[in-house]
Amino acid sequence: MFTRFKATREQKKLLKAIKKNPDDSSALAQLGWNAYAEHDEDEASRYFTRAIEARSEAFAATDALYGLALIDLEHKRYAEAREMLRQIIKDSPDFQRRAEVHLALGQANEWLWRTSSWKNEKEKAESDLLQRARDHYQQALERKTEQRDSANFFLGKLLYDSQQQEEAISYLQQVSNSTMLDQVEACEANALLGRYFWTVKQDAAKGREFLEMALKKNPKQNLLADIQRQLGDIAYAQTDDDLATQCYEQALTAYKDVQTEEVLETLVNLSELKYRHHWLKAAIDYAERGLQIPTESKTIPPRLLKILAQSYAGIKDYVNAAAYEQQYFQSTKDPDEKAASLLRLGVNYELQEQVKDAVDAYRKGLKFAKRNLEASKLNAALGRLYLHDGRFNQAINHIKEAVEKAEEDKAHAAAVYRLLGECHTARKETEKAIEAYGKILVDFPETGEEPVAREALKDFRKQFKKELQEIERAQKQEDADLQVKAGDAEEVERLLELIDEILDEKGFFERLKEGLAKTHLSFVARIEELLAKSTDVDDELIENLEEALILSDIGVATSQCIIEHLQESVERKELQDPRQIKFYLKREVQAILQGSEKRLDIEREKPFVILVIGVNGTGKTTTIGKMASKFKAMGKNVLLVAGDTFRAAAIEQLEIWGERAGCEVLKHTSGADPSAVMFDAIQAAKSRNVDVVIADTAGRLHTKKNLMEELKKMVRVIARELPGAPHETLMVVDATTGQNAISQAQLFHEGVGLSGLILTKLDGTAKGGIIVGIANDLNLPVTYIGIGEKVEDLREFHAKEFVDALFED
Ligand SMILES: Nc1nc2c(ncn2[C@@H]2O[C@H](COP(=O)(O)OP(=O)(O)OP(=O)(O)O)[C@@H](O)[C@H]2O)c(=O)[nH]1
Ligand SMILES: [Mg+2]
């Protein structure tokens, strides 16, 4: 209110002044500027022109001329503006607003440069106009006035657009935080910086930082769209799909109805994101919008067509899917993509029960497929169709081809082996069928085919057992065919043995489950009981749950950690039904254990030295024996070291294991210094081409200081003789110890530094939950778990397998 009042009062004063003296240039110029500020440019022009004509005061006339030039600039009359501005520079060296004049001249030249037509890029880059624009900005900059930052910005932007990006960036960076720039300039400066760091430097963090800064300055529609699109690109590249989707959708809204390549790129990325997250209708919507936009691009249309084909197939609209698939097939040049497309098309036809078309598509696909996997998938599809059609000879040929090239995709390979099993079964090639199913159990155990293969093998077993019974019966009845049947019996028994062998390989899971039965009872079953009594997930249930967890050996801290996560899920309303708790609990436990898996990389060094330590009787020597057998089976030359010179018969015990595994044992006499044994062992390993050295040690209590010192000395000797060794220092922990195990491991870790744990005797204990506490509290990985005394009872620790065995009823 106040300023307005002042303005009108000043206005009145000025009008009075020119009434008195119509040639008062100063008042006329000021009136011009006032009108200019009110965006009344006609009026401003009139006052400015009168001020120039009056010429009563030189400064005012110059000022008015500058005003006129600015109006011309705004109306894109660059040449006229430039003339006037040049005149000011020439005639009025003392004009106070000289920096502004240079800035305006810079802009006039810049816009003349931008709007002229150039023969080629070179001519454009070497143009005088460009040079002049730069010079004037530079002059404005050097004057260190309020316009300094604007000059900096204009110069930066001009350099950026004239292919001098590095130089441009240094100017723009100086003003990215400036308060002297107006909102629009500040926004553009940061947007340019963001684009530069992201697209030129591939620096996502810096790019995002500047783009977000630009976003805060309220960018105009088009710039907003660009900024959001680039933020989307960054998120997309970093696979932050949610953020990418959000940014792209905002960009699209800001782009409105324009149809540029940028919009098209946004659409194709968005449709891929939607497809990836199974929002198929949205994927289709964006992709079809993308297809409407004319483009020069060779890559985008095929991408759109592929998404459309796959999305329509996903929503079971096979007609549209097939139509787009055919277009995709035509548009892509890559032979393997063509093959993959025909594979999808074939599946599509099968779903529409057009089997003949499907066969044609698969056959045609085989002509294109160069990559193994595509060829294998096409062969498998053909094999499957022929198999179902009863044409076993054709089927087996395709399936065999498929098997050869299937390995790189486990799920697919498993499916192919199942087909092979089915095909051999159909051809009555029983042993080959068993082998095919066996392959799935041994090599692809974590695929969906595993239970199928297991069932198939069990069916064979049942069938053979029945056959055996029949043979027996026939023998008792002294059947005439006795001789023949006896021969059959041998064959059937052999196959039965084969099946048992295969099924037993995976029997570890069953044994693990059996072994964990008590832990299951004390942990899972107790919780199930609790849940059965509850109807709501309320505070009482959570409290009881916490109590149950704490009682189950997983430790207080870990229990609280799990409970906190559960509570978060309750708050987010994901977890509302007590029946869900078991699932959530399982997920939590698995998440904790997942981080604790560790595979020994014995190929890493040669010789690879493993030192095994722990409290008395935890299973060190037994575990070493089992590990030796494993490494031996992998074809490694293993040396066992009898480092336990203390306990009676310890050396003999290791020798028995060594014999069983078929590897050498290096020993001294009982009572010798274990460090001396280690010294000899390392020398021997180096000279005898040993791959893996496993050193046994005497059991010791973590509280016995002198025994800890002895252990440290062994480590020192090993490290001195072979720098970097021991490569693994593994502590064997007896699971039946329960919570004590954690403090034991802690003290050993402080003493010699552990690289991992082996948890033994998980069979039969109720305290198996300790493994969760160990994983959560100690930050030490678990390499192996032991569930019994035999060689096959030691296995690498798989979090998923463990949790499945623990939670399964
Ligand atoms: N049930 C079961 N018993 C095991 C397991 N691992 C080892 N054992 C048994 O635990 C007992 C002790 O095993 P050792 O290998 O001698 O233990 P150690 O740590 O070498 O013992 P010291 O050398 O005396 O410290 C033996 O009877 C093993 O058979 C396992 O995973 N489950
Ligand atoms: Mg021992």
Side-chain angles (χ1 to χ4, degrees), residues 620-621 644 647 650 653 696-697:
K620 293 178 292 300
T621 311
D644 182 357
R647 187 168 57 81
Q653 191 192 352
D696 191 14
T697 60

Side-chain angles (χ1 to χ4, degrees), residues 35 148 189 206 290 316 418 437 453 478 488 588 608-609 669 725 730 750:
R148 194 194 145 91
K206 260 186 149 163
K316 301 194 164 55
R418 175 160 69 117
Y437 291 129
E478 295 191 351
D488 281 357
E588 281 302 318
F608 190 86
V609 181
T669 50
L730 302 178
E750 278 160 25

Side-chain angles (χ1 to χ4, degrees), residues 626-643:
K626 297 172 184 173
M627 283 164 75
S629 293
K630 280 185 189 299
F631 297 149
K632 199 70 194 165
M634 287 161 69
K636 299 293 169 197
N637 192 3
V638 183
L639 177 69
L640 297 183
V641 187

Side-chain angles (χ1 to χ4, degrees), residues 515-524 526-527 548-556 558-559 562 589-590 592-593 733-742 759-777 782 797 802-803 806-807:
L516 289 176
K518 282 190 190 157
T519 306
H520 176 87
L521 277 182
S522 83
F523 184 69
V524 184
R526 192 175 328 172
I527 285 162
L549 286 177
I550 290 174
L551 286 174
S552 73
D553 284 289
I554 70 172
V556 180
T558 312
S559 301
I562 292 177
V589 171
Q590 191 171 333
I592 292 174
L593 291 181
V733 176
D734 176 342
T736 57
T737 331
Q739 282 294 309
N740 271 343
I742 295 189
L759 216 62
T760 57
K761 310 194 193 177
L762 276 166
D763 50 314
T765 174
K767 295 179 176 173
I770 186 64
I771 196 167
V772 187
I774 284 186
N776 199 44
D777 286 6
V782 178
F797 171 58
F802 186 86
V803 176
L806 179 60
F807 276 78

Side-chain angles (χ1 to χ4, degrees), residues 28-93:
L28 285 165
Q30 191 52 53
L31 279 164
W33 285 114
N34 287 352
Y36 183 77
E38 296 286 322
H39 302 290
D40 185 349
E41 285 167 2
D42 289 342
E43 177 120 332
S45 289
R46 270 197 297 280
Y47 281 124
F48 285 144
T49 315
R50 279 175 65 189
I52 295 164
E53 282 164 4
R55 289 204 164 275
S56 64
E57 199 187 316
F59 168 76
T62 310
D63 199 30
L65 190 57
Y66 173 55
L68 276 182
L70 282 192
I71 293 171
D72 275 346
L73 256 190
E74 268 164 36
H75 288 271
K76 303 196 164 62
R77 295 188 291 267
Y78 305 121
E80 290 87 337
R82 190 169 65 153
E83 269 322 298
M84 287 186 237
L85 292 163
R86 272 181 169 169
Q87 199 183 324
I88 297 172
I89 297 283
K90 200 166 90 218
D91 298 346
S92 318

Side-chain angles (χ1 to χ4, degrees), residues 30 43 78 98 121 124 155 199 230 236 252 279 373 419 447 489 521 603 651 663 705 755 760 772:
Q30 191 52 53
E43 177 120 332
Y78 305 121
R98 216 175 148 91
E121 284 302 311
K124 186 176 178 187
L155 191 53
T199 56
Q230 288 177 58
Y236 190 68
L252 268 192
W279 294 93
L373 192 58
L419 280 179
T447 56
L521 277 182
E603 310 277 349
I651 300 174
C663 54
K705 262 218 155 91
S755 62
T760 57
V772 187

